[in-house]
Coordinates of all heavy atoms in Angstrom, one line a residue:
G352 N -2.0 -8.4 -18.9 CA -2.3 -8.5 -17.5 C -1.4 -7.6 -16.7 O -0.4 -7.0 -17.2
A353 N -1.7 -7.6 -15.4 CA -1.0 -6.7 -14.4 C 0.1 -7.5 -13.7 O -0.1 -8.6 -13.1 CB -1.9 -6.2 -13.4
P354 N 1.4 -7.1 -13.8 CA 2.5 -7.8 -13.2 C 2.4 -7.8 -11.7 O 1.8 -6.9 -11.1 CB 3.7 -7.1 -13.6 CG 3.3 -6.4 -14.9 CD 1.9 -6.0 -14.7
N355 N 3.0 -8.8 -11.0 CA 3.0 -8.7 -9.6 C 4.2 -7.9 -9.1 O 5.0 -7.4 -10.0 CB 3.0 -10.2 -9.0 CG 4.2 -11.0 -9.4 OD1 5.3 -10.5 -9.7 ND2 4.0 -12.3 -9.6
G356 N 4.5 -7.8 -7.8 CA 5.5 -7.0 -7.3 C 6.9 -7.4 -7.8 O 7.7 -6.6 -8.2
K357 N 7.2 -8.7 -7.8 CA 8.5 -9.2 -8.2 C 8.7 -9.0 -9.7 O 9.8 -8.6 -10.2 CB 8.6 -10.7 -7.9 CG 8.7 -11.0 -6.5 CD 8.9 -12.5 -6.3 CE 9.1 -12.9 -4.8 NZ 9.2 -14.3 -4.6
Q358 N 7.6 -9.1 -10.5 CA 7.7 -8.9 -11.9 C 8.0 -7.4 -12.2 O 8.8 -7.1 -13.1 CB 6.5 -9.3 -12.6 CG 6.3 -10.9 -12.7 CD 5.0 -11.3 -13.2 OE1 3.9 -10.7 -12.9 NE2 4.9 -12.4 -13.9
W359 N 7.3 -6.5 -11.5 CA 7.6 -5.1 -11.7 C 9.1 -4.7 -11.4 O 9.7 -4.0 -12.2 CB 6.7 -4.2 -10.8 CG 5.3 -4.0 -11.3 CD1 4.1 -4.4 -10.7 CD2 4.9 -3.4 -12.6 NE1 3.0 -4.0 -11.4 CE2 3.5 -3.4 -12.6 CE3 5.6 -2.9 -13.6 CZ2 2.7 -2.9 -13.7 CZ3 4.8 -2.3 -14.7 CH2 3.4 -2.4 -14.7
K360 N 9.6 -5.3 -10.3 CA 10.9 -4.9 -9.9 C 11.9 -5.5 -10.9 O 12.9 -4.9 -11.2 CB 11.2 -5.5 -8.5 CG 10.5 -4.7 -7.4 CD 10.9 -5.1 -6.0 CE 10.2 -4.2 -5.0 NZ 10.6 -4.5 -3.6
N361 N 11.7 -6.7 -11.4 CA 12.5 -7.3 -12.4 C 12.5 -6.5 -13.7 O 13.6 -6.3 -14.4 CB 12.1 -8.8 -12.7 CG 13.2 -9.5 -13.5 OD1 14.4 -9.5 -13.2 ND2 12.8 -10.1 -14.6
M362 N 11.4 -5.9 -14.1 CA 11.3 -5.1 -15.2 C 12.1 -3.8 -15.1 O 12.8 -3.4 -16.0 CB 9.8 -4.7 -15.5 CG 8.9 -5.9 -16.0 SD 7.2 -5.5 -15.9 CE 7.0 -4.2 -17.0
I363 N 12.1 -3.3 -13.9 CA 12.9 -2.1 -13.6 C 14.4 -2.4 -13.7 O 15.2 -1.6 -14.2 CB 12.5 -1.5 -12.2 CG1 11.1 -1.0 -12.2 CG2 13.4 -0.3 -11.9 CD1 10.6 -0.6 -10.9
R364 N 14.8 -3.6 -13.2 CA 16.2 -4.0 -13.3 C 16.6 -4.1 -14.8 O 17.7 -3.6 -15.1 CB 16.4 -5.4 -12.7 CG 16.1 -5.4 -11.1 CD 16.3 -6.8 -10.6 NE 16.0 -6.9 -9.2 CZ 16.2 -7.9 -8.4 NH1 16.7 -9.0 -8.9 NH2 15.8 -7.9 -7.1
K365 N 15.7 -4.6 -15.6 CA 16.0 -4.7 -17.0 C 16.2 -3.3 -17.6 O 17.0 -3.0 -18.5 CB 15.0 -5.5 -17.8 CG 14.9 -6.9 -17.5 CD 13.8 -7.6 -18.3 CE 13.6 -9.1 -17.9 NZ 12.5 -9.7 -18.7
L366 N 15.3 -2.4 -17.2 CA 15.3 -1.0 -17.7 C 16.6 -0.3 -17.3 O 17.2 0.4 -18.1 CB 14.1 -0.2 -17.1 CG 14.0 1.2 -17.6 CD1 13.5 1.3 -19.0 CD2 13.0 2.0 -16.7
L367 N 17.1 -0.6 -16.1 CA 18.3 0.0 -15.6 C 19.5 -0.5 -16.4 O 20.4 0.3 -16.8 CB 18.5 -0.3 -14.1 CG 17.6 0.4 -13.1 CD1 17.8 -0.2 -11.7 CD2 17.8 1.9 -13.1
A368 N 19.5 -1.7 -16.8 CA 20.6 -2.3 -17.6 C 20.5 -1.7 -19.0 O 21.6 -1.4 -19.6 CB 20.5 -3.8 -17.6
D369 N 19.3 -1.6 -19.6 CA 19.2 -1.1 -21.0 C 19.4 0.4 -21.1 O 20.2 0.8 -22.0 CB 17.8 -1.5 -21.4 CG 17.5 -1.1 -22.9 OD1 18.4 -1.1 -23.7 OD2 16.4 -0.6 -23.1
R370 N 18.7 1.2 -20.3 CA 18.7 2.6 -20.5 C 19.8 3.4 -19.7 O 20.3 4.4 -20.1 CB 17.4 3.2 -20.1 CG 16.2 2.6 -21.0 CD 16.3 3.1 -22.4 NE 16.0 4.5 -22.5 CZ 14.8 5.0 -22.4 NH1 13.7 4.2 -22.4 NH2 14.6 6.3 -22.5
F371 N 20.2 2.8 -18.5 CA 21.3 3.4 -17.7 C 22.6 2.7 -17.9 O 23.6 3.0 -17.3 CB 20.9 3.4 -16.2 CG 19.8 4.4 -15.9 CD1 18.4 4.1 -16.1 CD2 20.1 5.6 -15.3 CE1 17.4 5.0 -15.8 CE2 19.1 6.5 -14.9 CZ 17.8 6.2 -15.2
K372 N 22.6 1.6 -18.7 CA 23.8 0.8 -18.9 C 24.4 0.3 -17.6 O 25.6 0.2 -17.4 CB 24.8 1.5 -19.7 CG 24.3 2.2 -21.0 CD 23.6 1.1 -21.9 CE 23.1 1.8 -23.2 NZ 22.3 0.9 -24.0
L373 N 23.5 -0.1 -16.6 CA 24.0 -0.5 -15.3 C 24.6 -1.9 -15.4 O 23.9 -2.8 -15.8 CB 22.8 -0.4 -14.3 CG 23.1 -1.0 -12.9 CD1 24.1 0.0 -12.2 CD2 21.8 -1.1 -12.1
T374 N 25.8 -2.0 -14.9 CA 26.4 -3.4 -14.7 C 27.0 -3.3 -13.3 O 27.5 -2.3 -12.8 CB 27.5 -3.7 -15.7 OG1 28.5 -2.8 -15.6 CG2 26.9 -3.8 -17.1
F375 N 27.0 -4.5 -12.6 CA 27.6 -4.6 -11.2 C 27.9 -6.0 -10.9 O 27.6 -6.9 -11.7 CB 26.5 -4.1 -10.2 CG 25.3 -4.9 -10.2 CD1 25.1 -6.0 -9.3 CD2 24.2 -4.7 -11.1 CE1 24.0 -6.8 -9.3 CE2 23.1 -5.5 -11.1 CZ 23.0 -6.6 -10.2
H376 N 28.6 -6.2 -9.8 CA 28.9 -7.5 -9.3 C 28.6 -7.5 -7.8 O 28.6 -6.5 -7.2 CB 30.3 -8.0 -9.6 CG 31.4 -7.2 -8.9 ND1 31.9 -6.1 -9.4 CD2 32.0 -7.4 -7.7 CE1 32.8 -5.6 -8.6 NE2 32.9 -6.4 -7.5
K377 N 28.3 -8.7 -7.3 CA 27.9 -8.8 -5.9 C 29.1 -9.1 -5.0 O 30.1 -9.8 -5.5 CB 26.8 -9.8 -5.7 CG 25.5 -9.5 -6.3 CD 24.4 -10.5 -6.0 CE 23.1 -10.1 -6.6 NZ 22.0 -11.1 -6.3
D378 N 29.1 -8.7 -3.8 CA 30.2 -9.0 -2.8 C 29.5 -9.1 -1.4 O 28.3 -8.8 -1.2 CB 31.2 -7.9 -2.9 CG 32.6 -8.4 -2.4 OD1 32.6 -9.5 -1.8 OD2 33.6 -7.7 -2.6
K379 N 30.3 -9.4 -0.4 CA 29.9 -9.3 1.0 C 30.8 -8.3 1.7 O 32.0 -8.2 1.5 CB 30.1 -10.7 1.6 CG 29.1 -11.8 1.2 CD 27.9 -11.6 2.1 CE 26.9 -12.8 1.9 NZ 25.7 -12.7 2.7
K380 N 30.1 -7.7 2.7 CA 30.8 -6.7 3.5 C 30.2 -6.6 4.8 O 28.9 -6.7 4.9 CB 30.8 -5.3 2.8 CG 31.6 -4.2 3.5 CD 31.5 -2.9 2.7 CE 32.3 -1.8 3.4 NZ 32.2 -0.5 2.6
E381 N 31.0 -6.5 5.9 CA 30.4 -6.3 7.2 C 29.9 -4.9 7.3 O 30.6 -3.9 7.1 CB 31.4 -6.6 8.3 CG 30.7 -6.6 9.7 CD 31.6 -7.0 10.8 OE1 32.5 -6.2 11.2 OE2 31.5 -8.1 11.3
L382 N 28.6 -4.7 7.7 CA 27.9 -3.4 7.7 C 27.2 -3.3 9.1 O 26.8 -4.3 9.7 CB 26.9 -3.2 6.6 CG 27.5 -3.2 5.2 CD1 26.3 -3.2 4.2 CD2 28.4 -2.1 4.9
S383 N 27.0 -2.0 9.5 CA 26.1 -1.8 10.6 C 24.7 -2.0 10.0 O 24.3 -1.4 9.0 CB 26.3 -0.3 11.0 OG 27.6 -0.1 11.6
V384 N 23.9 -2.7 10.8 CA 22.5 -3.1 10.3 C 21.6 -2.9 11.5 O 22.0 -2.8 12.7 CB 22.4 -4.5 9.7 CG1 23.3 -4.7 8.6 CG2 22.7 -5.5 10.8
Y385 N 20.3 -2.9 11.2 CA 19.2 -3.0 12.2 C 18.6 -4.4 12.0 O 18.4 -4.9 10.9 CB 18.2 -2.0 12.1 CG 18.6 -0.6 12.5 CD1 18.8 0.4 11.5 CD2 18.7 -0.3 13.8 CE1 19.2 1.7 11.9 CE2 19.1 1.0 14.2 CZ 19.3 2.0 13.2 OH 19.7 3.2 13.6
V386 N 18.3 -5.1 13.1 CA 17.6 -6.4 13.1 C 16.2 -6.2 13.7 O 16.1 -5.6 14.8 CB 18.4 -7.4 13.9 CG1 17.6 -8.7 14.1 CG2 19.7 -7.7 13.3

Side-chain angles (χ1 to χ4, degrees):
N355 60 35
K357 290 182 179 179
Q358 288 169 327
W359 280 122
K360 290 187 176 185
N361 192 50
M362 290 166 63
I363 298 169
R364 295 180 186 186
K365 293 180 183 180
L366 181 73
L367 291 171
D369 178 38
R370 300 289 295 277
F371 289 80
K372 309 303 179 187
L373 175 68
T374 61
F375 64 93
H376 65 274
K377 294 183 178 180
D378 203 348
K379 283 276 190 181
K380 184 178 179 181
E381 187 173 76
L382 296 176
S383 295
V384 301
Y385 288 107
V386 172

